[in-house]
Amino acid sequence: LKAANVILEWITNKEQSRIFVAVSLAEGETIRWMIHTHQPSLQQVGLALRTVSGRLLDSSPSYSPDDNVRTTSSLLCFRFFNCDMFYTEDELPLLESNLSSAPLEIRRQFFTECLRLRRKQRNIWADTPLAKIFTPQEQWHLLRSIALQQNIQSILFKMMRSQQVDPVELFKKYDTDHDGSINAEGFQEILRSLRLGLS
């Protein structure tokens, strides 16, 4: 899955509404060529090319800048698509507003799938500002604990895979009273058996 790095901002003629579209580098170069060769089709069309961070790269003569909130708000969606996990306190409410029609679980599933398709090195978001976008506000005080849980799960999964350990068999081995759960001592034994260095 490719990242959105170059964004076309297009002002439609009639309603003066703005459309933001991710374009490839080749498409961006073609649009720049059209702007600089004064193509007749662009005489009345306001176009601008931006980086996903918002920097203006080029624009047509008919382009007029927008209030920064609408532009920033749209670019935040592309950063979300790019699996950016770090947002400022001012950016988070804008992103939340953009995603408000999508339930929390759908947002999380979409983001997780984008991460998987990009094979990002960092794929744990629970300890980043983005976690608030996937978590109900009344649970924000639990975000640190959720991040720790995700980190431990990730480490356990990697170690079991690298050591070719069957998680079901491992669970059965330490579920000594066969009640379907493992107590704290049993969990510590699992960590020791996998040589994770956690206790």
Side-chain angles (χ1 to χ4, degrees), residues 10-19 44-46 62 70:
W10 172 26
I11 305 172
T12 60
N13 251 350
K14 294 174 183 171
E15 304 87 14
Q16 287 291 301
S17 61
R18 291 170 193 259
I19 299 170
Q44 302 300 318
V45 179
S62 301
R70 188 165 37 170

Side-chain angles (χ1 to χ4, degrees), residues 8-113:
L8 170 66
E9 182 181 353
W10 172 26
I11 305 172
T12 60
N13 251 350
K14 294 174 183 171
E15 304 87 14
Q16 287 291 301
S17 61
R18 291 170 193 259
I19 299 170
F20 293 83
V21 180
V23 295
S24 69
L25 291 175
E27 290 166 336
E29 283 303 315
T30 301
I31 293 166
R32 288 192 77 198
W33 175 83
M34 292 174 71
I35 290 170
H36 289 284
T37 56
H38 308 289
Q39 295 296 305
S41 57
L42 294 186
Q43 292 305 313
Q44 302 300 318
V45 179
L47 293 179
L49 288 170
R50 296 181 175 277
T51 63
V52 74
S53 61
R55 183 169 171 255
L56 187 65
L57 299 172
D58 217 335
S59 62
S60 67
S62 301
Y63 172 76
S64 59
D66 180 27
D67 65 11
N68 275 342
V69 174
R70 188 165 37 170
T71 300
T72 301
S73 182
S74 299
L75 294 174
L76 287 172
C77 291
F78 288 106
R79 286 178 53 198
F80 181 79
F81 174 74
N82 287 350
C83 299
D84 191 344
M85 300 183 197
F86 295 92
Y87 300 86
T88 67
E89 288 299 319
D90 293 334
E91 292 170 335
L92 280 171
L94 287 174
L95 182 60
E96 169 67 36
S97 174
N98 288 339
L99 300 174
S100 61
S101 62
L104 297 176
E105 184 59 21
I106 298 296
R107 297 177 197 176
R108 188 190 61 73
Q109 287 174 359
F110 174 82
F111 189 83
T112 303
E113 185 63 8

